[in-house]
């Protein structure tokens, strides 16, 4: 194999020179490979959003379906063959309109039979009344005969036997009158019974016409002409009529975690799949107290009434609703991501044991609500020591801060259970402490104040929060009070104005930590 001239010249070089060339080439290749394998540093710049004015609406989302205000199921109390059906789906009806007719021959014959029975018992009653008049006439004859016999017997012209016979005849005629009257009463009862039976037959005959009980629209029809209706222990449903579809109600199921915020009169905005680009509006009319549990999830029915202009909403449509809990028009708002942001090199510290001189929680109270004085967890020297440790104070700063905390604890003990006085003492101490701190320590103190209700904390009725701005090329915290939120934006109040740029993400990544094999926690992993 022939070599090119350059290779021939290299082979003629001394062996030590060739070895040197090989070593240098290998080093160059190794260095180049390391550069290729070395990851390039990732530069993630801060992302910003501007504070702006606008509307913030806090809502509770739920789903349900559209229903008519009143839906009536129309059935039949009679059994029989359906001879006519006079309405169909979507037919408008008025109260009293005939919807269907059941074959009335059987019920008409019962009416005729009842009429004949009534005529018969009425005639029998007239006969009994005639018999009563006859019995009365006979009684009068017997009374006259008795008086004559009695007069003759008193004069000695009639025997005692004749008098006894006259007396017996009177009693018989009186009994006949009483019997006739009793028969008339019984026959009168039979007449009333026949009338009642005839009236029932007429009612049944009238029920062969199925009438609409309300004004509305037929939304369901379950029978056809020629179909047999069998009414036994339960009336079969023949029609469903929805009343006044110009107004509808939306039944939505609200989770138990949100039901406490829902009240009657609140606005409900909802959409349906048929008109996805249009939002309908109603108002809560009822919050039902009966829970409904499905798959171990407890929810409560909320009824909202809405106008149905144009009749576009139909019963049964699925509604995706938002119950408006709170509306805040023209307020300062910030993206929710700005309130969640925490820079890697200035993580918000956790206040261990609560604020110095306070309790275990905001407002200087323990977990059980008991005010903490000098004997409480936050009122002892340990609470101040932990607080100063989190601020990373120098020895000189600690010496100057100690009397400030001692004075604050004394004022808090004097304040007793008055939360306003305790907060005032703590804020006064923070104001005295701030001039002693460096800029980064002040930033850390600001974050700590927001955590346990310092300026802009719960004493003003809104929870505290922190947004971060870029100051001297470093994130700087600004305490704010957080109001209503719609999930994307939150209402804020504080020393910030529209147009200010707040950090919503990005920035240096936090240093990875490595755990010591000897225990004792973790430490930042050095970057290479």
């Amino acid at each position: 194999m022939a070599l090119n001239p350059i290779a021939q010249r290299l082979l003629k070089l001394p062996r030590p020179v060739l070895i040197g060339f090989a070593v240098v080439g290998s080093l160059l290749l190794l260095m180049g490979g390391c550069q290729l394998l070395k990851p390039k540093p990732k530069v993630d710049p801060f992302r910003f959003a501007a504070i702006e004015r606008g509307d913030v609406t806090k809502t509770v989302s739920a789903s349900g379906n559209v229903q008519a205000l009143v839906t009536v199921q129309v059935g039949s109390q009679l059994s029989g063959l359906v001879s006519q059906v006079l309405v169909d789906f979507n037919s408008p009806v008025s109260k009293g309109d005939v919807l269907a007719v059941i074959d009335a021959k059987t019920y008409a014959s019962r009416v005729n039979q009842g009429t004949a029975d009534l005529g018969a018992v009425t005639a029998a009653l007239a006969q009994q009344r005639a018999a009563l008049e006859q019995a009365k006439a006979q009684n009068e004859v017997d009374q006259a005969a008795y008086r004559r016999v009695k007069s003759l017997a008193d004069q000695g012209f009639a025997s005692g036997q004749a008098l006894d016979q006259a007396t017996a005849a009177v009693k018989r005629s009186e009994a006949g009158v009483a019997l006739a009257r009793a028969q008339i009463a019984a026959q009168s009862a039979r007449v009333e019974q026949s009338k009642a039976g005839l009236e029932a037959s007429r009612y049944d005959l009238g029920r062969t016409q199925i009438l609409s009980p309300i004004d509305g629209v037929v939304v369901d029809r379950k029978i056809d002409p020629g179909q047999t209706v069998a009414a036994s222990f339960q009336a079969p449903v023949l029609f469903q009529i929805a009343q006044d579809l110009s107004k509808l109600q939306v039944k939505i199921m609200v989770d138990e975690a949100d039901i406490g915020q829902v009240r009657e009169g609140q606005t409900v905005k909802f959409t349906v799949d048929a008109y996805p680009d249009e939002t309908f509006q109603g108002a809560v009319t009822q919050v039902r107290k009966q829970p409904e549990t499905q798959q171990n999830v407890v929810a409560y029915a909320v009824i909202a009434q809405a106008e149905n202009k144009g009749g576009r909403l139909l019963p049964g449509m699925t509604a995706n609703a938002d119950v408006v809990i709170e509306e805040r028009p023209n307020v300062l708002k910030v993206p929710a991501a700005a309130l969640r942001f925490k820079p890697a090199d200035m993580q918000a510290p956790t206040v261990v044991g609560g604020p110095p001189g306070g309790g275990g929680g905001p407002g200087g109270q323990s977990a059980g609500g008991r005010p903490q004085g000098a004997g409480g967890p936050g009122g002892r020297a340990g609470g101040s020591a932990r607080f100063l440790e989190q601020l990373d104070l120098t020895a000189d700063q600690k010496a100057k801060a100690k009397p400030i905390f001692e004075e604050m604890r004394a004022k808090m003990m004097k304040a007793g259970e008055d939360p306003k006085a305790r907060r005032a003492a703590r804020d006064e101490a923070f104001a005295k402490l701030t001039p002693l701190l460096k800029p980064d320590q002040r930033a850390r103190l600001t974050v700590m104040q927001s955590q346990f209700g310092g300026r802009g904390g719960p004493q003003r009725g809104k929870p505290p929060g922190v947004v971060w701005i870029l100051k001297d090329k470093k994130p700087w915290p600004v305490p704010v009070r957080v109001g209503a939120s719609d999930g994307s934006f939150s209402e804020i109040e504080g020393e910030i104005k529209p147009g200010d740029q707040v950090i919503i993400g990005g920035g240096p990544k936090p240093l990875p930590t490595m755990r010591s094999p000897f225990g004792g926690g973790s430490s930042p992993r050095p970057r290479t």
Side-chain angles (χ1 to χ4, degrees), residues 58-91:
K58 182 180 179 181
T59 61
V60 168
S61 298
S63 62
N65 55 71
V66 178
Q67 301 176 349
L69 291 179
V70 177
T71 301
V72 179
Q73 294 181 341
V74 182
S76 173
Q77 296 177 292
L78 304 178
S79 300
L81 185 69
V82 178
S83 59
Q84 289 181 304
V85 176
L86 305 179
V87 295
D88 202 352
F89 294 93
N90 302 334
S91 296

PDB file of all heavy atoms in Angstrom, residues 58-91:
ATOM      1  N   LYS A  58     -64.672  35.970  42.171  1.00  0.00           N
ATOM      2  CA  LYS A  58     -64.474  34.681  42.839  1.00  0.00           C
ATOM      3  C   LYS A  58     -65.707  33.833  42.617  1.00  0.00           C
ATOM      4  O   LYS A  58     -66.830  34.265  42.895  1.00  0.00           O
ATOM      5  CB  LYS A  58     -64.222  34.883  44.323  1.00  0.00           C
ATOM      6  CG  LYS A  58     -63.967  33.588  45.092  1.00  0.00           C
ATOM      7  CD  LYS A  58     -63.733  33.873  46.562  1.00  0.00           C
ATOM      8  CE  LYS A  58     -63.496  32.588  47.335  1.00  0.00           C
ATOM      9  NZ  LYS A  58     -63.294  32.840  48.789  1.00  0.00           N
ATOM     10  N   THR A  59     -65.528  32.637  42.112  1.00  0.00           N
ATOM     11  CA  THR A  59     -66.657  31.777  41.784  1.00  0.00           C
ATOM     12  C   THR A  59     -66.454  30.371  42.336  1.00  0.00           C
ATOM     13  O   THR A  59     -65.339  29.978  42.691  1.00  0.00           O
ATOM     14  CB  THR A  59     -66.863  31.686  40.256  1.00  0.00           C
ATOM     15  OG1 THR A  59     -65.685  31.113  39.667  1.00  0.00           O
ATOM     16  CG2 THR A  59     -67.124  33.057  39.660  1.00  0.00           C
ATOM     17  N   VAL A  60     -67.559  29.651  42.398  1.00  0.00           N
ATOM     18  CA  VAL A  60     -67.554  28.219  42.707  1.00  0.00           C
ATOM     19  C   VAL A  60     -68.121  27.497  41.497  1.00  0.00           C
ATOM     20  O   VAL A  60     -69.234  27.791  41.050  1.00  0.00           O
ATOM     21  CB  VAL A  60     -68.403  27.911  43.962  1.00  0.00           C
ATOM     22  CG1 VAL A  60     -68.621  26.415  44.101  1.00  0.00           C
ATOM     23  CG2 VAL A  60     -67.730  28.459  45.206  1.00  0.00           C
ATOM     24  N   SER A  61     -67.352  26.592  40.945  1.00  0.00           N
ATOM     25  CA  SER A  61     -67.764  25.884  39.731  1.00  0.00           C
ATOM     26  C   SER A  61     -68.491  24.592  40.088  1.00  0.00           C
ATOM     27  O   SER A  61     -68.136  23.907  41.051  1.00  0.00           O
ATOM     28  CB  SER A  61     -66.542  25.578  38.857  1.00  0.00           C
ATOM     29  OG  SER A  61     -65.914  26.770  38.434  1.00  0.00           O
ATOM     30  N   ALA A  62     -69.502  24.298  39.305  1.00  0.00           N
ATOM     31  CA  ALA A  62     -70.280  23.070  39.498  1.00  0.00           C
ATOM     32  C   ALA A  62     -70.971  22.749  38.185  1.00  0.00           C
ATOM     33  O   ALA A  62     -70.960  23.537  37.242  1.00  0.00           O
ATOM     34  CB  ALA A  62     -71.289  23.223  40.628  1.00  0.00           C
ATOM     35  N   SER A  63     -71.556  21.583  38.131  1.00  0.00           N
ATOM     36  CA  SER A  63     -72.284  21.163  36.934  1.00  0.00           C
ATOM     37  C   SER A  63     -73.643  20.609  37.349  1.00  0.00           C
ATOM     38  O   SER A  63     -73.851  20.198  38.488  1.00  0.00           O
ATOM     39  CB  SER A  63     -71.493  20.111  36.154  1.00  0.00           C
ATOM     40  OG  SER A  63     -71.292  18.950  36.939  1.00  0.00           O
ATOM     41  N   GLY A  64     -74.563  20.629  36.407  1.00  0.00           N
ATOM     42  CA  GLY A  64     -75.899  20.120  36.674  1.00  0.00           C
ATOM     43  C   GLY A  64     -76.689  20.045  35.387  1.00  0.00           C
ATOM     44  O   GLY A  64     -76.125  19.838  34.311  1.00  0.00           O
ATOM     45  N   ASN A  65     -77.988  20.239  35.476  1.00  0.00           N
ATOM     46  CA  ASN A  65     -78.823  20.175  34.283  1.00  0.00           C
ATOM     47  C   ASN A  65     -79.957  21.171  34.385  1.00  0.00           C
ATOM     48  O   ASN A  65     -80.332  21.628  35.463  1.00  0.00           O
ATOM     49  CB  ASN A  65     -79.365  18.756  34.062  1.00  0.00           C
ATOM     50  CG  ASN A  65     -80.107  18.224  35.273  1.00  0.00           C
ATOM     51  OD1 ASN A  65     -81.203  18.672  35.580  1.00  0.00           O
ATOM     52  ND2 ASN A  65     -79.512  17.269  35.975  1.00  0.00           N
ATOM     53  N   VAL A  66     -80.490  21.500  33.218  1.00  0.00           N
ATOM     54  CA  VAL A  66     -81.582  22.457  33.102  1.00  0.00           C
ATOM     55  C   VAL A  66     -82.907  21.710  33.294  1.00  0.00           C
ATOM     56  O   VAL A  66     -83.100  20.623  32.747  1.00  0.00           O
ATOM     57  CB  VAL A  66     -81.546  23.164  31.737  1.00  0.00           C
ATOM     58  CG1 VAL A  66     -82.705  24.128  31.596  1.00  0.00           C
ATOM     59  CG2 VAL A  66     -80.218  23.890  31.559  1.00  0.00           C
ATOM     60  N   GLN A  67     -83.804  22.301  34.074  1.00  0.00           N
ATOM     61  CA  GLN A  67     -85.106  21.687  34.346  1.00  0.00           C
ATOM     62  C   GLN A  67     -86.197  22.738  34.229  1.00  0.00           C
ATOM     63  O   GLN A  67     -85.952  23.940  34.380  1.00  0.00           O
ATOM     64  CB  GLN A  67     -85.142  21.080  35.757  1.00  0.00           C
ATOM     65  CG  GLN A  67     -84.111  20.015  36.024  1.00  0.00           C
ATOM     66  CD  GLN A  67     -84.152  19.527  37.459  1.00  0.00           C
ATOM     67  OE1 GLN A  67     -84.810  20.118  38.302  1.00  0.00           O
ATOM     68  NE2 GLN A  67     -83.445  18.444  37.735  1.00  0.00           N
ATOM     69  N   ALA A  68     -87.412  22.277  33.944  1.00  0.00           N
ATOM     70  CA  ALA A  68     -88.563  23.172  33.970  1.00  0.00           C
ATOM     71  C   ALA A  68     -88.895  23.527  35.413  1.00  0.00           C
ATOM     72  O   ALA A  68     -88.611  22.771  36.343  1.00  0.00           O
ATOM     73  CB  ALA A  68     -89.756  22.512  33.297  1.00  0.00           C
ATOM     74  N   LEU A  69     -89.495  24.697  35.596  1.00  0.00           N
ATOM     75  CA  LEU A  69     -89.857  25.107  36.950  1.00  0.00           C
ATOM     76  C   LEU A  69     -90.840  24.119  37.571  1.00  0.00           C
ATOM     77  O   LEU A  69     -90.714  23.740  38.730  1.00  0.00           O
ATOM     78  CB  LEU A  69     -90.475  26.510  36.930  1.00  0.00           C
ATOM     79  CG  LEU A  69     -89.522  27.662  36.592  1.00  0.00           C
ATOM     80  CD1 LEU A  69     -90.293  28.968  36.581  1.00  0.00           C
ATOM     81  CD2 LEU A  69     -88.384  27.736  37.583  1.00  0.00           C
ATOM     82  N   VAL A  70     -91.851  23.702  36.789  1.00  0.00           N
ATOM     83  CA  VAL A  70     -92.851  22.729  37.250  1.00  0.00           C
ATOM     84  C   VAL A  70     -93.047  21.707  36.143  1.00  0.00           C
ATOM     85  O   VAL A  70     -93.319  22.074  34.994  1.00  0.00           O
ATOM     86  CB  VAL A  70     -94.193  23.403  37.592  1.00  0.00           C
ATOM     87  CG1 VAL A  70     -95.217  22.353  37.999  1.00  0.00           C
ATOM     88  CG2 VAL A  70     -94.022  24.434  38.697  1.00  0.00           C
ATOM     89  N   THR A  71     -92.886  20.452  36.467  1.00  0.00           N
ATOM     90  CA  THR A  71     -93.148  19.367  35.527  1.00  0.00           C
ATOM     91  C   THR A  71     -94.186  18.436  36.141  1.00  0.00           C
ATOM     92  O   THR A  71     -93.972  17.902  37.235  1.00  0.00           O
ATOM     93  CB  THR A  71     -91.870  18.587  35.203  1.00  0.00           C
ATOM     94  OG1 THR A  71     -90.905  19.473  34.641  1.00  0.00           O
ATOM     95  CG2 THR A  71     -92.158  17.477  34.197  1.00  0.00           C
ATOM     96  N   VAL A  72     -95.325  18.266  35.455  1.00  0.00           N
ATOM     97  CA  VAL A  72     -96.440  17.463  35.972  1.00  0.00           C
ATOM     98  C   VAL A  72     -96.560  16.187  35.150  1.00  0.00           C
ATOM     99  O   VAL A  72     -96.555  16.230  33.911  1.00  0.00           O
ATOM    100  CB  VAL A  72     -97.756  18.253  35.923  1.00  0.00           C
ATOM    101  CG1 VAL A  72     -98.912  17.399  36.428  1.00  0.00           C
ATOM    102  CG2 VAL A  72     -97.643  19.526  36.746  1.00  0.00           C
ATOM    103  N   GLN A  73     -96.660  15.070  35.854  1.00  0.00           N
ATOM    104  CA  GLN A  73     -96.904  13.787  35.204  1.00  0.00           C
ATOM    105  C   GLN A  73     -98.408  13.517  35.209  1.00  0.00           C
ATOM    106  O   GLN A  73     -99.038  13.472  36.276  1.00  0.00           O
ATOM    107  CB  GLN A  73     -96.162  12.670  35.928  1.00  0.00           C
ATOM    108  CG  GLN A  73     -94.649  12.789  35.847  1.00  0.00           C
ATOM    109  CD  GLN A  73     -93.944  11.652  36.544  1.00  0.00           C
ATOM    110  OE1 GLN A  73     -94.525  10.963  37.378  1.00  0.00           O
ATOM    111  NE2 GLN A  73     -92.687  11.431  36.200  1.00  0.00           N
ATOM    112  N   VAL A  74     -98.972  13.367  34.023  1.00  0.00           N
ATOM    113  CA  VAL A  74    -100.409  13.160  33.874  1.00  0.00           C
ATOM    114  C   VAL A  74    -100.663  11.673  33.646  1.00  0.00           C
ATOM    115  O   VAL A  74    -100.096  11.077  32.719  1.00  0.00           O
ATOM    116  CB  VAL A  74    -100.965  13.990  32.705  1.00  0.00           C
ATOM    117  CG1 VAL A  74    -102.476  13.788  32.594  1.00  0.00           C
ATOM    118  CG2 VAL A  74    -100.631  15.457  32.886  1.00  0.00           C
ATOM    119  N   GLY A  75    -101.495  11.084  34.504  1.00  0.00           N
ATOM    120  CA  GLY A  75    -101.787   9.660  34.395  1.00  0.00           C
ATOM    121  C   GLY A  75    -103.279   9.405  34.231  1.00  0.00           C
ATOM    122  O   GLY A  75    -104.071  10.313  33.987  1.00  0.00           O
ATOM    123  N   SER A  76    -103.664   8.130  34.391  1.00  0.00           N
ATOM    124  CA  SER A  76    -105.059   7.717  34.254  1.00  0.00           C
ATOM    125  C   SER A  76    -105.445   6.869  35.454  1.00  0.00           C
ATOM    126  O   SER A  76    -104.704   5.976  35.868  1.00  0.00           O
ATOM    127  CB  SER A  76    -105.263   6.911  32.968  1.00  0.00           C
ATOM    128  OG  SER A  76    -106.561   6.381  32.908  1.00  0.00           O
ATOM    129  N   GLN A  77    -106.603   7.192  36.026  1.00  0.00           N
ATOM    130  CA  GLN A  77    -107.129   6.392  37.126  1.00  0.00           C
ATOM    131  C   GLN A  77    -107.965   5.220  36.637  1.00  0.00           C
ATOM    132  O   GLN A  77    -108.381   4.386  37.435  1.00  0.00           O
ATOM    133  CB  GLN A  77    -107.983   7.274  38.040  1.00  0.00           C
ATOM    134  CG  GLN A  77    -107.201   8.370  38.737  1.00  0.00           C
ATOM    135  CD  GLN A  77    -108.088   9.256  39.580  1.00  0.00           C
ATOM    136  OE1 GLN A  77    -108.913  10.004  39.059  1.00  0.00           O
ATOM    137  NE2 GLN A  77    -107.931   9.162  40.884  1.00  0.00           N
ATOM    138  N   LEU A  78    -108.244   5.168  35.333  1.00  0.00           N
ATOM    139  CA  LEU A  78    -109.106   4.133  34.768  1.00  0.00           C
ATOM    140  C   LEU A  78    -108.329   3.224  33.839  1.00  0.00           C
ATOM    141  O   LEU A  78    -107.302   3.611  33.272  1.00  0.00           O
ATOM    142  CB  LEU A  78    -110.265   4.775  33.979  1.00  0.00           C
ATOM    143  CG  LEU A  78    -111.142   5.775  34.728  1.00  0.00           C
ATOM    144  CD1 LEU A  78    -112.199   6.332  33.783  1.00  0.00           C
ATOM    145  CD2 LEU A  78    -111.791   5.118  35.940  1.00  0.00           C
ATOM    146  N   SER A  79    -108.810   2.041  33.705  1.00  0.00           N
ATOM    147  CA  SER A  79    -108.270   1.094  32.734  1.00  0.00           C
ATOM    148  C   SER A  79    -109.184   1.076  31.516  1.00  0.00           C
ATOM    149  O   SER A  79    -110.398   1.265  31.631  1.00  0.00           O
ATOM    150  CB  SER A  79    -108.169  -0.310  33.334  1.00  0.00           C
ATOM    151  OG  SER A  79    -107.329  -0.322  34.460  1.00  0.00           O
ATOM    152  N   GLY A  80    -108.570   0.849  30.363  1.00  0.00           N
ATOM    153  CA  GLY A  80    -109.385   0.785  29.163  1.00  0.00           C
ATOM    154  C   GLY A  80    -108.555   0.986  27.917  1.00  0.00           C
ATOM    155  O   GLY A  80    -107.326   1.159  27.968  1.00  0.00           O
ATOM    156  N   LEU A  81    -109.227   0.982  26.797  1.00  0.00           N
ATOM    157  CA  LEU A  81    -108.596   1.135  25.489  1.00  0.00           C
ATOM    158  C   LEU A  81    -108.537   2.616  25.120  1.00  0.00           C
ATOM    159  O   LEU A  81    -109.537   3.328  25.220  1.00  0.00           O
ATOM    160  CB  LEU A  81    -109.386   0.364  24.431  1.00  0.00           C
ATOM    161  CG  LEU A  81    -108.775   0.332  23.031  1.00  0.00           C
ATOM    162  CD1 LEU A  81    -107.512  -0.505  23.005  1.00  0.00           C
ATOM    163  CD2 LEU A  81    -109.811  -0.209  22.036  1.00  0.00           C
ATOM    164  N   VAL A  82    -107.353   3.091  24.727  1.00  0.00           N
ATOM    165  CA  VAL A  82    -107.195   4.486  24.317  1.00  0.00           C
ATOM    166  C   VAL A  82    -107.789   4.637  22.920  1.00  0.00           C
ATOM    167  O   VAL A  82    -107.304   4.034  21.957  1.00  0.00           O
ATOM    168  CB  VAL A  82    -105.714   4.905  24.335  1.00  0.00           C
ATOM    169  CG1 VAL A  82    -105.568   6.341  23.852  1.00  0.00           C
ATOM    170  CG2 VAL A  82    -105.130   4.750  25.734  1.00  0.00           C
ATOM    171  N   SER A  83    -108.823   5.448  22.824  1.00  0.00           N
ATOM    172  CA  SER A  83    -109.480   5.623  21.525  1.00  0.00           C
ATOM    173  C   SER A  83    -108.925   6.815  20.755  1.00  0.00           C
ATOM    174  O   SER A  83    -108.893   6.807  19.527  1.00  0.00           O
ATOM    175  CB  SER A  83    -110.990   5.787  21.719  1.00  0.00           C
ATOM    176  OG  SER A  83    -111.261   6.910  22.541  1.00  0.00           O
ATOM    177  N   GLN A  84    -108.490   7.869  21.480  1.00  0.00           N
ATOM    178  CA  GLN A  84    -107.973   9.060  20.822  1.00  0.00           C
ATOM    179  C   GLN A  84    -106.813   9.640  21.611  1.00  0.00           C
ATOM    180  O   GLN A  84    -106.825   9.626  22.852  1.00  0.00           O
ATOM    181  CB  GLN A  84    -109.069  10.130  20.702  1.00  0.00           C
ATOM    182  CG  GLN A  84    -110.171   9.814  19.709  1.00  0.00           C
ATOM    183  CD  GLN A  84    -111.189  10.937  19.659  1.00  0.00           C
ATOM    184  OE1 GLN A  84    -111.771  11.317  20.680  1.00  0.00           O
ATOM    185  NE2 GLN A  84    -111.413  11.480  18.466  1.00  0.00           N
ATOM    186  N   VAL A  85    -105.818  10.161  20.893  1.00  0.00           N
ATOM    187  CA  VAL A  85    -104.735  10.946  21.480  1.00  0.00           C
ATOM    188  C   VAL A  85    -104.719  12.268  20.727  1.00  0.00           C
ATOM    189  O   VAL A  85    -104.450  12.311  19.527  1.00  0.00           O
ATOM    190  CB  VAL A  85    -103.372  10.231  21.378  1.00  0.00           C
ATOM    191  CG1 VAL A  85    -102.263  11.136  21.912  1.00  0.00           C
ATOM    192  CG2 VAL A  85    -103.397   8.923  22.134  1.00  0.00           C
ATOM    193  N   LEU A  86    -105.028  13.353  21.412  1.00  0.00           N
ATOM    194  CA  LEU A  86    -105.259  14.636  20.762  1.00  0.00           C
ATOM    195  C   LEU A  86    -104.059  15.571  20.789  1.00  0.00           C
ATOM    196  O   LEU A  86    -104.126  16.660  20.214  1.00  0.00           O
ATOM    197  CB  LEU A  86    -106.459  15.335  21.422  1.00  0.00           C
ATOM    198  CG  LEU A  86    -107.752  14.513  21.450  1.00  0.00           C
ATOM    199  CD1 LEU A  86    -108.849  15.280  22.151  1.00  0.00           C
ATOM    200  CD2 LEU A  86    -108.181  14.143  20.031  1.00  0.00           C
ATOM    201  N   VAL A  87    -102.955  15.197  21.467  1.00  0.00           N
ATOM    202  CA  VAL A  87    -101.760  16.054  21.520  1.00  0.00           C
ATOM    203  C   VAL A  87    -100.540  15.206  21.184  1.00  0.00           C
ATOM    204  O   VAL A  87    -100.580  13.970  21.204  1.00  0.00           O
ATOM    205  CB  VAL A  87    -101.590  16.708  22.905  1.00  0.00           C
ATOM    206  CG1 VAL A  87    -102.717  17.663  23.207  1.00  0.00           C
ATOM    207  CG2 VAL A  87    -101.471  15.646  24.000  1.00  0.00           C
ATOM    208  N   ASP A  88     -99.457  15.916  20.890  1.00  0.00           N
ATOM    209  CA  ASP A  88     -98.196  15.238  20.568  1.00  0.00           C
ATOM    210  C   ASP A  88     -97.071  15.947  21.325  1.00  0.00           C
ATOM    211  O   ASP A  88     -97.299  16.894  22.081  1.00  0.00           O
ATOM    212  CB  ASP A  88     -97.961  15.276  19.056  1.00  0.00           C
ATOM    213  CG  ASP A  88     -96.995  14.175  18.598  1.00  0.00           C
ATOM    214  OD1 ASP A  88     -96.408  13.515  19.482  1.00  0.00           O
ATOM    215  OD2 ASP A  88     -96.849  13.993  17.383  1.00  0.00           O
ATOM    216  N   PHE A  89     -95.847  15.516  21.107  1.00  0.00           N
ATOM    217  CA  PHE A  89     -94.696  16.173  21.705  1.00  0.00           C
ATOM    218  C   PHE A  89     -94.683  17.657  21.307  1.00  0.00           C
ATOM    219  O   PHE A  89     -94.990  18.017  20.161  1.00  0.00           O
ATOM    220  CB  PHE A  89     -93.398  15.512  21.249  1.00  0.00           C
ATOM    221  CG  PHE A  89     -93.234  14.105  21.743  1.00  0.00           C
ATOM    222  CD1 PHE A  89     -93.654  13.031  20.972  1.00  0.00           C
ATOM    223  CD2 PHE A  89     -92.676  13.843  22.974  1.00  0.00           C
ATOM    224  CE1 PHE A  89     -93.503  11.726  21.404  1.00  0.00           C
ATOM    225  CE2 PHE A  89     -92.525  12.546  23.428  1.00  0.00           C
ATOM    226  CZ  PHE A  89     -92.943  11.478  22.651  1.00  0.00           C
ATOM    227  N   ASN A  90     -94.312  18.505  22.294  1.00  0.00           N
ATOM    228  CA  ASN A  90     -94.170  19.957  22.093  1.00  0.00           C
ATOM    229  C   ASN A  90     -95.496  20.664  21.845  1.00  0.00           C
ATOM    230  O   ASN A  90     -95.508  21.828  21.450  1.00  0.00           O
ATOM    231  CB  ASN A  90     -93.212  20.281  20.945  1.00  0.00           C
ATOM    232  CG  ASN A  90     -91.830  19.701  21.146  1.00  0.00           C
ATOM    233  OD1 ASN A  90     -91.413  19.481  22.280  1.00  0.00           O
ATOM    234  ND2 ASN A  90     -91.121  19.449  20.069  1.00  0.00           N
ATOM    235  N   SER A  91     -96.616  19.982  22.067  1.00  0.00           N
ATOM    236  CA  SER A  91     -97.912  20.641  21.880  1.00  0.00           C
ATOM    237  C   SER A  91     -98.191  21.574  23.048  1.00  0.00           C
ATOM    238  O   SER A  91     -98.141  21.149  24.212  1.00  0.00           O
ATOM    239  CB  SER A  91     -99.025  19.596  21.779  1.00  0.00           C
ATOM    240  OG  SER A  91     -98.861  18.787  20.641  1.00  0.00           O
TER     241      SER A  91
END
